[in-house]
Amino acid sequence: MGTRSIKEVAQLARVSVGTVSNVLNRPEIVSPATRERVFEAIRELGFVRNEVARHLRVGRSRTVGLVVLDVSNPFFADVAQGAEAVADEHDTMMMLCNSSADPDRERRHLDQLEQQRVLGILITPVDAASPRLAELTARGTPVVLVDSAATGMQCSVAVDDRLGGQVAAAHLIERGHRRIAFVGGPFSIKQVADRYAGASAAVEAAGEGVELVDFETAALGVAAGRAAGERLAALPERERPTAAFCVNDLLALGFLQAMSLRGLKVPGDVAIVGYDDIDFAAAAAVPLSSVRQPRELLGRTAIELLLEEVSSPGEHRHRQVIFQPDLVVRESSKALRENG
């Protein structure tokens, strides 16, 4: 059977094409009896609305794009879950795209989303200052930065990453550690740079005798954390940091695995603090201390800002929402170190 048309639905339901259109798009203005007659005709004919044609007529789809740095990181899965819950409430679909922290890949995703005339784009950008984001906004596609602060050109939702890094390092210093590894990278990612700046501020405030040792990674996954842990474990004991602040929990889990494989005790030999507080942090062999971000709330707030801009573009004023991080202390960093 071929594709049925809206005209055929109208004929079977004995109503006008305009009435069928109202039932599909503004059902509240059609009487219940007429609505039911139209729906019965739709079911009988197997009518499916041609969304592509509809989008061309109305100018925008009912889809938003979400572009993240690493789809394998549970942090972004939780952000997406929060955003999707709000999208569902507004009869809107969400398309998830993975940039893998690659600027070229990110640009291709943005091009495709713009070509599909999405309502707007949520993005954790490789570079928040990328001119491509400003171009999208200028051409009428609203953009909201997620887990990254904007400069005022777009709305953004983020956590105070500088404060988060400061809190993590200060906790390790309070536990008696004087040589702390900073595990993360690349520093071109703003969240990494901000967390490093916060950790550096805590070390500087602690005064002489406290040191932050850079263990930069090329990526933010478990394998990169494991490699950094191997580098630390290979150092002579007198040069080895006694604590590590990892810029996300995937790095921290890989780092913890390397400590176990090398026979180093956590936290006895090396204390560890991660970032994000994904579910796996609490479930690790040694439960990980972590700087908690309100993951689902980030997603919910971001899409609420986006839909607000879509619904009232003339009245909308860009906002930068900053949430405060919390340190969750678990076994991986709880013990005091008496001899620094």
Side-chain angles (χ1 to χ4, degrees):
M1 182 170 58
T3 303
R4 297 297 191 174
S5 69
I6 193 170
K7 185 176 180 180
E8 289 175 286
V9 172
Q11 289 172 343
L12 184 60
R14 303 185 308 281
V15 297
S16 69
V17 170
T19 298
V20 177
S21 179
N22 284 336
V23 169
L24 292 172
N25 297 295
R26 296 186 298 162
E28 70 279 0
I29 70 171
V30 182
S31 71
T34 301
R35 282 205 308 266
E36 182 52 41
R37 205 158 71 243
V38 171
F39 285 135
E40 179 60 35
I42 287 171
R43 286 190 291 270
E44 186 174 332
L45 292 172
F47 170 79
V48 177
R49 175 162 55 178
N50 186 338
E51 285 296 317
V52 173
R54 176 173 175 266
H55 297 163
L56 289 173
R57 289 194 303 274
V58 301
R60 291 283 170 188
S61 71
R62 291 300 303 177
T63 303
V64 298
L66 171 60
V67 184
V68 301
L69 291 172
D70 180 7
V71 76
S72 69
N73 188 337
F75 167 79
F76 290 113
D78 291 341
V79 169
Q81 187 171 352
E84 190 172 39
V86 176
D88 284 345
E89 293 168 7
H90 291 81
D91 191 28
T92 299
M93 294 284 290
M94 193 178 75
M95 185 184 304
L96 181 62
C97 304
N98 180 32
S99 73
S100 299
D102 179 345
D104 290 334
R105 183 170 175 145
E106 177 186 271
R107 186 167 53 252
R108 289 196 300 272
H109 283 311
L110 294 175
D111 289 346
Q112 290 165 355
L113 290 169
E114 186 178 25
Q115 288 165 14
Q116 292 176 29
R117 302 183 65 79
V118 294
L119 275 177
I121 296 171
L122 310 176
I123 182 171
T124 303
V126 177
D127 176 9
S130 168
R132 184 70 182 92
L133 301 178
E135 289 169 10
L136 283 167
T137 303
R139 287 203 291 262
T141 300
V143 174
V144 175
L145 306 192
V146 185
D147 195 36
S148 181
T151 58
M153 292 286 292
Q154 302 98 5
C155 285
S156 66
V157 292
V159 171
D160 188 338
D161 281 318
R162 186 182 174 93
L163 176 60
Q166 188 171 354
V167 166
H171 165 70
L172 292 169
I173 293 167
E174 289 166 3
R175 297 288 89 189
H177 298 280
R178 295 294 174 263
R179 191 171 171 81
I180 300 166
F182 178 86
V183 181
F187 282 94
S188 57
I189 296 175
K190 190 174 187 301
Q191 293 92 324
V192 174
D194 285 349
R195 292 168 197 179
Y196 181 79
S200 297
V203 167
E204 185 176 347
E208 195 173 342
V210 181
E211 182 181 6
L212 190 66
V213 184
D214 178 14
F215 280 72
E216 185 174 359
T217 62
L220 293 167
V222 173
R226 189 164 54 242
E230 291 285 348
R231 283 163 53 199
L232 181 141
L235 291 173
E237 185 174 356
R238 69 178 64 186
E239 298 177 19
R240 187 187 303 148
T242 61
F245 167 42
C246 301
V247 298
N248 73 14
D249 287 337
L250 294 185
L251 285 170
L253 289 167
F255 196 93
L256 173 63
Q257 186 181 60
M259 297 303 98
S260 177
L261 291 171
R262 285 301 196 105
L264 294 176
K265 295 182 175 60
V266 176
D269 295 314
V270 182
I272 304 173
V273 174
Y275 206 105
D276 293 336
D277 196 34
I278 62 175
D279 291 341
F280 294 134
V286 179
L288 282 170
S289 297
S290 186
V291 178
R292 175 179 290 166
Q293 300 200 76
R295 303 176 301 276
E296 290 193 22
L297 183 58
L298 283 169
R300 292 187 66 91
T301 305
I303 196 166
E304 285 168 356
L305 290 172
L306 182 68
L307 293 173
E308 176 187 298
E309 184 171 356
V310 168
S311 64
S312 54
E315 303 171 10
H316 178 78
R317 294 293 178 268
H318 293 316
R319 285 183 283 152
Q320 285 70 52
V321 180
I322 304 291
F323 294 103
Q324 299 302 299
D326 297 308
L327 177 67
V328 180
V329 178
R330 300 191 180 96
E331 297 305 316
S332 71
S333 70
K334 190 176 288 186
L336 282 166
R337 188 173 184 85
E338 296 180 1
N339 55 9

